[in-house]
Amino acid sequence: MTGSISMAVENSANPLLAGLEPERQVEPLSFVIFGANGDLTKRKLIPAVYALFMQGLLPRSFVLLGTSRTHFSHEKFRNAMKEALLKFASDLPFTEESWQRFASSLYYQAADSGTETGFEDIKKTLSALDEKHGTNGRHVFYLSTSPSLYLPIIKGLGKSGLVVKTRVNEPAYPRVVIEKPFGHDLASSLNLDEQIHEVLREHQIYRIDHYLGKETVQNIMVFRFANAIFEPLWNRNHIDHIQVTNAETLGVEGRGAYYEEAGALRDMMQNHLMQLMALVLMEPPIAMDAESTRDEKNKVLKSLRPLTAATIDENAVRGQYGPGFILGSQVPGYRQEPSVADSSQTATFAALKLSVDNWRWSGVPIYVRTGKRLAKSITEVAVVFKDPPHRLFENPDKHGQTHIPGNVLVMQIQPDEGISLKFATKQPGPNTTVRWLNMDFKYGSAFGTRTPTAYERLILDCLHGDPSLFARSDFVEASWKYIQPIIEHWENNALDFPNYAAGSWGPAASDALLARTGHTWRRL
Ligand code: BG6
């Protein structure tokens, strides 16, 4: 028996490491990371794999082979990963002894993914490792590189014979995990998909959307479909509108060059927020298998009313932050960030009003906003219910307004993960004064365990060959189809930027978007 199993026993009492189901055992395999010297590997992948190791969730025999163009010895790679772990995963238990056991699975092979010899080198090293660790040709390749390398790497893997198409009913090794962004627009994403499918079948492709790995996002399905009391209300008869907010106080954090090409629509809306909305709006799947769930999510995207050049300005708002204050500190505007053009037209804020043309949601506006350098970091889905049909209680609030807000169910994705339901209650006293209170559930106090990171869950699922929480080809395409006209319309029509101050809630047009239908964004 290897170290990982004994660690599992050793650590089973550690509340920090509870969370994932330990009985799920993966067969021995090699996990190859392209871009092993990059930021994502250090910040997210290595901490996630180490956390899985500490929970005994890695296979008995496991190899992690890092590769990139930089020359490293195995030892130097291990040291760099150790440093990364200590820096980015200080919440994980770490001892020299546990590290040594983990590090004995780490290897490195320098390779230029632009050359055939690069792949031959990887192949030789992998087959030696297969021999040594009994991983038996079971390989998972993780592309944590710049998107421009996805195709060259997948083609190189195909040419070298490291990946081959499997039959649908065969266990899907090799598997390839691809980071976002998947394409730059509709055309490039279709092209990428077509070329990848020349080398791999769909069930071998794992397109990461880290939002799907978040516990709070997965809980949307459980909340909706494991409880019988909410679903009867989850429709146009009872819901007035839905607001999805993804707000970050951070700016572009040194990623100006990437962000200039991306902007808010490509960076957050086309992927993370579309996935989030699909989970909120979808019909119940017939079963909890990967295809049934992903079929239902796709139907949501197919029901979105497409925006056209004539309707975009009415339903889509963009913004770019100027200088301002975040938590009392002065911060520069987007155009002053490194690698950003002085006259950049890139949107750092986007808000959309979506109309869903189906039986359940007809006439219910779905508002979604995302932005950098906003007043607060928070991601939530707020479901706003309709007012009671007849008003019996008309108490003025502290502003003298007599309107009583309706019930609101908030799924707080992050931070302070939880769910709250706002409801009316009588304030104790001689008068019938209505007060609005929240019934709250917080993950932290309810479970008291460490929440696994999104990458932990997604990597584990991929090792198990479960693609449920990965984006399927047709979803990516449908999502690009919806977003593409907006991207083009914005590219063709410049706006006077910046139009919101860092530390605010975005441009005035964002409020006007809701005001047209008599709504206001929640004050967060
Ligand atoms: C990434 C985007 O995909 O998601 C970033 O590229 C964004 O710009 C990040 O900040 C948000 O992720 P999270 O998990 O911090 O909400």
Side-chain angles (χ1 to χ4, degrees):
M1 279 214 181
T2 64
S4 55
I5 287 292
S6 55
M7 282 312 294
V9 174
E10 234 165 76
N11 286 293
S12 57
N14 187 337
L16 267 181
L17 292 174
L20 293 170
E21 308 129 64
E23 69 272 16
R24 298 173 83 196
Q25 194 53 256
V26 187
E27 34 187 4
L29 54 80
S30 300
F31 188 71
V32 184
I33 302 181
F34 284 86
N37 193 28
D39 207 42
L40 183 74
T41 303
K42 292 178 188 158
R43 278 177 191 273
K44 304 284 182 191
L45 305 187
I46 290 292
V49 177
Y50 177 76
L52 292 175
F53 165 75
M54 291 298 280
Q55 292 163 91
L57 294 171
L58 289 183
R60 269 172 296 111
S61 206
F62 177 77
V63 169
L64 187 151
L65 177 65
T67 175
S68 79
R69 256 188 294 201
T70 319
H71 282 269
F72 276 143
S73 62
H74 297 314
E75 217 35 57
K76 200 165 167 210
F77 176 62
R78 288 172 190 151
N79 287 338
M81 295 306 111
K82 182 179 177 184
E83 209 176 286
L85 197 61
L86 291 171
K87 183 164 172 198
F88 298 118
S90 50
D91 61 325
L92 293 173
F94 181 94
T95 63
E96 201 45 50
E97 193 254 338
S98 63
W99 168 254
Q100 286 307 333
R101 282 203 265 166
F102 178 68
S104 66
S105 308
L106 304 191
Y107 295 88
Y108 187 80
Q109 169 67 59
D112 182 346
S113 47
T115 64
E116 274 185 35
T117 47
F119 288 96
E120 284 312 316
D121 291 344
I122 295 173
K123 198 173 175 180
K124 265 188 240 148
T125 306
L126 263 183
S127 91
L129 291 171
D130 276 346
E131 189 79 10
K132 184 171 172 192
H133 292 270
T135 45
N136 206 16
R138 280 182 291 265
H139 302 152
V140 175
F141 298 96
Y142 197 115
L143 274 47
S144 167
T145 62
S146 128
S148 61
L149 293 177
Y150 295 165
L151 258 190
I153 291 175
I154 289 174
K155 284 188 168 172
L157 287 171
K159 233 178 175 175
S160 64
L162 274 167
V163 303
V164 286
K165 275 190 185 180
T166 59
R167 279 180 230 271
V168 175
N169 55 1
E170 280 175 353
Y173 289 107
R175 297 172 195 148
V176 177
V177 187
I178 304 174
E179 266 294 334
K180 81 166 251 277
F182 195 85
H184 182 69
D185 52 18
L186 177 61
S188 61
S189 116
L190 289 175
N191 179 43
L192 178 62
D193 214 42
E194 198 177 310
Q195 301 211 45
I196 292 177
H197 279 113
E198 283 174 15
V199 183
L200 296 162
R201 290 198 200 279
E202 179 62 24
H203 70 291
Q204 298 176 276
I205 308 168
Y206 288 70
R207 297 176 196 79
I208 287 251
D209 186 310
H210 79 277
Y211 265 58
L212 294 180
K214 290 180 191 276
E215 284 290 334
T216 41
V217 173
Q218 290 165 50
N219 191 42
I220 294 174
M221 291 251 284
V222 177
F223 180 80
R224 287 190 56 197
F225 304 134
N227 295 297
I229 58 173
F230 301 110
E231 206 46 29
L233 306 178
W234 211 259
N235 56 50
R236 66 188 305 277
N237 298 328
H238 302 282
I239 293 177
D240 182 67
H241 71 281
I242 295 179
Q243 301 187 10
V244 180
T245 297
N246 165 258
E248 292 182 276
T249 52
L250 291 178
V252 288
E253 305 303 294
R255 295 194 306 155
Y258 153 76
Y259 203 85
E260 275 287 86
E261 296 296 315
L265 284 182
R266 291 185 176 96
D267 189 48
M268 290 297 303
M269 199 69 91
Q270 183 273 333
N271 33 64
H272 308 320
L273 297 178
M274 281 291 176
Q275 290 282 359
L276 194 57
M277 283 185 298
L279 288 167
V280 174
L281 303 175
M282 70 193 262
E283 295 300 317
I286 54 161
M288 275 307 293
D289 59 76
E291 301 320 323
S292 306
T293 323
R294 299 195 295 178
D295 287 347
E296 293 307 333
K297 286 202 289 181
N298 267 6
K299 286 189 205 160
V300 174
L301 293 202
K302 282 191 190 156
S303 325
L304 293 183
R305 188 181 308 162
L307 294 182
T308 63
T311 57
I312 288 171
D313 288 340
E314 214 180 296
N315 294 285
V317 166
R318 61 190 141 152
Q320 186 192 80
Y321 63 86
F325 289 86
I326 298 278
L327 304 170
S329 303
Q330 190 154 18
V331 295
Y334 176 68
R335 288 177 176 181
Q336 287 81 53
E337 302 274 11
S339 312
V340 170
D342 295 345
S343 56
S344 172
Q345 272 294 316
T346 301
T348 57
F349 176 98
L352 303 179
K353 176 184 165 196
L354 305 169
S355 304
V356 190
D357 288 334
N358 66 17
W359 198 268
R360 187 189 281 258
W361 296 113
S362 178
V364 180
I366 315 293
Y367 303 107
V368 50
R369 59 179 165 170
T370 175
K372 300 270 186 209
R373 287 282 192 233
L374 296 183
K376 191 174 174 184
S377 283
I378 185 167
T379 300
E380 65 153 46
V381 176
V383 178
V384 183
F385 288 88
K386 289 190 170 169
D387 288 344
H390 176 59
R391 292 246 172 91
L392 291 173
F393 310 104
E394 292 279 359
N395 302 106
D397 66 12
K398 61 180 182 227
H399 307 291
Q401 301 285 323
T402 51
H403 175 75
I404 296 175
N407 298 104
V408 183
L409 179 91
V410 177
M411 293 182 265
Q412 188 145 329
I413 307 298
Q414 62 193 25
D416 301 328
E417 291 79 359
I419 296 180
S420 74
L421 178 64
K422 190 177 198 183
F423 66 104
T425 191
K426 179 187 173 300
Q427 182 167 317
N431 304 320
T432 306
T433 304
V434 177
R435 282 271 313 274
W436 285 86
L437 296 177
N438 284 329
M439 218 175 330
D440 276 330
F441 146 69
K442 296 275 178 221
Y443 278 75
S445 49
F447 296 115
T449 57
R450 169 186 169 270
T451 304
T453 66
Y455 277 92
E456 261 166 83
R457 174 62 195 255
L458 294 175
I459 290 174
L460 184 64
D461 279 7
C462 174
L463 299 188
H464 277 285
D466 179 356
S468 309
L469 299 179
F470 292 80
R472 202 170 64 184
S473 171
D474 46 0
F475 188 96
V476 177
E477 179 178 344
S479 176
W480 272 122
K481 270 194 180 141
Y482 184 80
I483 296 291
Q484 184 69 29
I486 313 171
I487 290 178
E488 281 171 17
H489 186 74
W490 287 359
E491 274 170 7
N492 296 334
N493 296 280
L495 206 67
D496 202 8
F497 278 159
N499 61 353
Y500 71 96
S504 70
W505 277 105
S510 162
D511 294 329
L513 175 75
L514 272 68
R516 285 197 279 280
T517 18
H519 295 129
T520 46
W521 287 112
R522 281 164 42 77
R523 269 188 248 154
L524 300 173

